[in-house]
Amino acid sequence: MKFKDKHRFVRSNMKKNKTRVWMTILASTIGCAFLIMLASIGFAIHKTAVDDVMSFRMVNEILIHKDSGEITEKDVKNLEQIKGVEAVTRKKFTPANQLSIGEYYTYANVMSAHMPSEEKAGFELEKGRMPKNENEIVVGYHFAKELRKDMPENFVEGLSEEDAQKKMNELSYDGDLLNTTLAYHIKVDNPEIKADASVKTLEVKIVGIRKKPAREWAVDASVFITEDLHNQVIKILAELDPQAEFADSYEEVKVFTASADDVKEVTEKIENLDYQTYSIIKELKKMNVYFTLFKAGLIFIGAIAVLIASIGIFNTMTMAVTERSQDIGIMKAIGATPKTIKGIFLLESGYIGLWGVGLGTLLAYIISYAVNFVLPIIMEQFVGEKAPEGFMISYIPWSLTAIAVTICMSVTLISGWRPAAKATTVDVLKALRRDV
Amino acid sequence: MISVKKLSYAFKIGKKGKENIVPVLHDINLHIERGEIVAIVGRSGSGKSTLLNLISGFIQPEVGSISIDHTQVSGFSETDWADFRLNHLGFIFQSFQLIPSMTAFENVEFPLVLKGVGEQERKQTTIEMLRRVGLESFIHHYPSELSGGQQQRVSIARALILNPPLLLADEPTGSLDSENEKELLSFIKELNKEYGITFLIITHDHEVASIAHRKVEIIDGSLREGRMLHEVQR
């Protein structure tokens, strides 16, 4: 019997018991949707956690630490020679950090960077270019906002925190900083040195503004200077305060690989050179183990609903076999093989399962979308707080859909197997009610 | 066509281990030639239907052998029997045994579907067969919408659709009135004469037995060969 004919035969049988078949499909739909929805909560929490971790660091980034001492230029050269390393970024924090333009000033987080490596590692600019000369700098996207005039007395008195913040913004620099020259005040904090001898000022030009951080709430007001400028600042500080000591090591060294796939191999090589490493891949690996167990638990609980639905399929198919035992007997008498009969009933339970899985998956996607759309609104309305950016309650990746479809279809076929096998054992003579 | 040798059969009645053995057939030997119409007659409970069920493969013999069309069928698996029935045997039952949820067309077409014949060829063959049994205007009727005689004709059409060399009929006229009975018997004679189909008919009706070339009587599980048709007629 051809598949097309089996399909037609099964469809015609299913049509005869529409209500019963649709109720069974409904049970499968609910079971499947429940499984996907429950697991989707686990997937959403996992995704949110991973996104959160990844929003701060890049996947191909390896943070380097050295227990046995400071990381120097020699170490950087060693790291750069490892196969698979795309760039080694290194930063030194510069002690002098006051910058001003006219009456606006700020104390920023100033650090030197090796600009060619930063470019290779994916340092992105909102506008402008990377520094080429010693007195050129790049500032963070929010640097201008942090450049403020002195606050007059009683400026924010009596205002709420929110209003005070708004009013403070009036003090911020609101012009375009690109190609603007700032005064960089290099000052030592030694009370033994006279005030006029403790400060020296350099002029620096902003040639680039760093790209806005991906996170809405993140504030980037840092200042990136060249290594040459850093050396000059250290030299000036040493002149101003000969007793002061300044380390010549890197405070932050990161290795960037060409792709995320290289991270594992490069990490191993770096660790063999007696460095300690920390990468997002390492962190995610630990996190993934925990979340995989959590998701497996949710899938297991969800599968119970599918099992309950499968009892419905088992009942429906058992009733179908009992009701059609005479038809089965006639079919066997004419020449239908046990394989054909089993195939027909398995196909019928398979179709019930397929409809259930199809509708269940669709329903799960609709509920998932609705929950993610509606719940933040409800939260804002009733709790008065906005949901964090990128927050998800339910997330259905294709892998979850594949897992759910596999579980539901397997359970469906298992529950339909016994009735189908029972159909093959129908006694022809009993079915035909013949006088033997 | 059919060769039954030393066939014995007994029913086991009761729970497993405590079964009562009820002998039904004892040392049956029967040989039917191609193109013959053979009637098996006997009283109720004599074992005539059991013999037909053994020849049809619905029950398996424990002693003796059966061969049909030079094929040793005793010992066949269920799948082998299904294939053999589809390709070699046609059945006409007393209560027609049509699938109630299928139309006359679908019932007749079903053996072709099982055999995997293409849709176009199936349609053509089925309509032709229904025309042959005079039911071309009832193709979309369900069995419940047909008279007893019409249902039996659908059943015959289904039995003939794959051109089997052997037709097994169990009380074929049992549910028919005398007019339909006559019509059916003349149709059987016509099929035998025109197409050489072999018929094995189980009946207790002398009218039915009268069309057979040979009459075989079963008395208390043993077979007694009857007179040939021409002898009866003479």
Side-chain angles (χ1 to χ4, degrees), chain B residues 89-104:
Chain B
L89 308 180
F91 291 94
I92 304 170
F93 301 101
Q94 179 182 353
S95 48
F96 323 126
Q97 301 297 0
L98 299 175
I99 296 176
S101 56
M102 288 182 177
T103 61

Side-chain angles (χ1 to χ4, degrees), chain A residues 1-2 4-6 8-9 12-13 16 324 326-340 344 424-429 431-436, chain B residues 11 44-45 49-50 52-53 56 58-59 78-79 82-83 85-86 89 91 93 95 97-102 109-111 113-119 122 158 170:
Chain A
M1 195 172 182
K2 287 179 180 170
K4 196 179 155 190
D5 294 317
K6 276 187 195 166
R8 207 179 56 171
F9 187 71
S12 135
N13 281 333
K16 276 168 218 149
R324 282 183 233 148
Q326 196 192 355
D327 295 3
I328 297 165
I330 296 168
M331 285 160 67
K332 283 178 91 173
I334 292 169
T337 59
K339 194 180 159 193
T340 304
I344 286 169
T424 64
T425 62
V426 166
D427 187 276
V428 179
L429 295 177
L432 301 182
R433 295 187 192 95
R434 291 178 59 177
D435 180 26
V436 184
Chain B
F11 282 115
S44 289
S49 288
T50 305
L52 187 81
N53 291 333
S56 312
F58 297 151
I59 48 177
E78 209 178 336
T79 305
D83 283 336
R85 279 197 290 267
L86 186 66
L89 308 180
F91 291 94
F93 301 101
S95 48
Q97 301 297 0
L98 299 175
I99 296 176
S101 56
M102 288 182 177
E109 183 198 31
F110 199 66
V113 173
L114 286 177
K115 200 154 185 197
V117 176
E119 205 173 336
R122 259 178 8 220
R158 183 181 65 187
D170 188 7

Side-chain angles (χ1 to χ4, degrees), chain A residues 351-362:
Chain A
Y351 282 165
I352 290 174
L354 213 59
W355 270 99
V357 167
L359 292 176
T361 308
L362 186 70

Side-chain angles (χ1 to χ4, degrees), chain A residues 22-78:
Chain A
W22 276 110
M23 291 313 281
T24 316
I25 288 173
L26 185 65
S28 308
T29 302
I30 293 168
C32 182
F34 179 75
L35 165 65
I36 296 176
M37 276 312 294
L38 192 68
S40 77
I41 296 168
F43 277 83
I45 296 171
H46 189 183
K47 189 178 185 302
T48 308
V50 170
D51 286 351
D52 198 46
V53 170
M54 286 173 65
S55 66
F56 292 105
R57 283 182 291 274
M58 291 164 82
V59 188
N60 61 339
E61 175 188 304
I62 306 165
L63 191 63
I64 308 294
H65 180 74
K66 194 178 173 187
D67 263 355
S68 55
E70 293 162 334
I71 303 178
T72 60
E73 189 62 30
K74 194 184 161 197
D75 296 303
V76 170
K77 295 285 172 225
N78 282 343

Side-chain angles (χ1 to χ4, degrees), chain B:
Chain B
M1 184 76 208
I2 302 176
S3 178
V4 178
K5 286 178 188 163
K6 295 183 176 177
L7 187 72
S8 295
Y9 190 80
F11 282 115
K12 287 171 187 162
I13 296 167
K15 282 184 181 175
K16 216 175 180 181
K18 293 177 182 174
E19 298 125 329
N20 287 325
I21 309 289
V22 182
V24 185
L25 296 173
H26 176 68
D27 200 26
I28 301 285
N29 289 291
L30 175 68
H31 187 79
I32 298 170
E33 289 294 333
R34 185 177 288 273
E36 259 192 313
I37 300 177
V38 175
I40 295 180
V41 295
R43 288 162 60 185
S44 289
S46 58
K48 56 187 190 299
S49 288
T50 305
L51 178 61
L52 187 81
N53 291 333
L54 284 161
I55 293 170
S56 312
F58 297 151
I59 48 177
Q60 304 304 317
E62 282 164 6
V63 181
S65 69
I66 303 167
S67 70
I68 303 169
D69 218 5
H70 308 294
T71 308
Q72 185 69 34
V73 292
S74 35
F76 261 14
S77 69
E78 209 178 336
T79 305
D80 291 338
W81 259 119
D83 283 336
F84 190 81
R85 279 197 290 267
L86 186 66
N87 294 303
H88 295 83
L89 308 180
F91 291 94
I92 304 170
F93 301 101
Q94 179 182 353
S95 48
F96 323 126
Q97 301 297 0
L98 299 175
I99 296 176
S101 56
M102 288 182 177
T103 61
F105 178 89
E106 288 165 340
N107 266 291
V108 175
E109 183 198 31
F110 199 66
L112 295 169
V113 173
L114 286 177
K115 200 154 185 197
V117 176
E119 205 173 336
Q120 200 55 40
E121 191 187 336
R122 259 178 8 220
K123 195 178 172 187
Q124 221 173 337
T125 315
T126 307
I127 290 173
E128 177 55 35
M129 185 53 74
L130 281 162
R131 189 175 294 130
R132 221 166 111 187
V133 295
L135 287 174
E136 65 268 38
S137 45
F138 294 91
I139 57 171
H140 297 305
H141 287 234
Y142 286 92
S144 58
E145 296 162 354
L146 299 170
S147 70
Q150 286 168 329
Q151 286 185 54
Q152 192 59 296
R153 274 189 277 165
V154 174
S155 156
I156 293 169
R158 183 181 65 187
L160 292 171
I161 194 85
L162 285 171
N163 299 317
L166 175 63
L167 266 176
L168 303 171
D170 188 7
E171 303 282 7
T173 59
S175 304
L176 301 179
D177 56 35
S178 58
E179 199 179 320
N180 277 313
E181 183 182 323
K182 270 182 198 165
E183 215 174 283
L184 176 65
L185 294 179
S186 82
F187 189 55
I188 288 174
K189 278 200 278 187
E190 185 190 320
L191 288 171
N192 175 258
K193 201 174 175 183
E194 278 187 33
Y195 302 100
I197 297 172
T198 311
F199 280 87
L200 177 62
I201 304 170
I202 303 289
T203 185
H204 59 265
D205 185 337
H206 289 289
E207 194 73 32
V208 178
S210 68
I211 66 156
H213 299 130
R214 194 149 56 100
K215 194 168 81 174
V216 174
E217 192 171 6
I218 295 183
I219 300 169
D220 295 334
S222 295
L223 200 135
R224 186 177 293 171
E225 191 83 13
R227 288 170 296 169
M228 299 292 282
L229 177 65
H230 58 89
E231 290 174 37
V232 175
Q233 283 168 342
R234 214 184 302 151

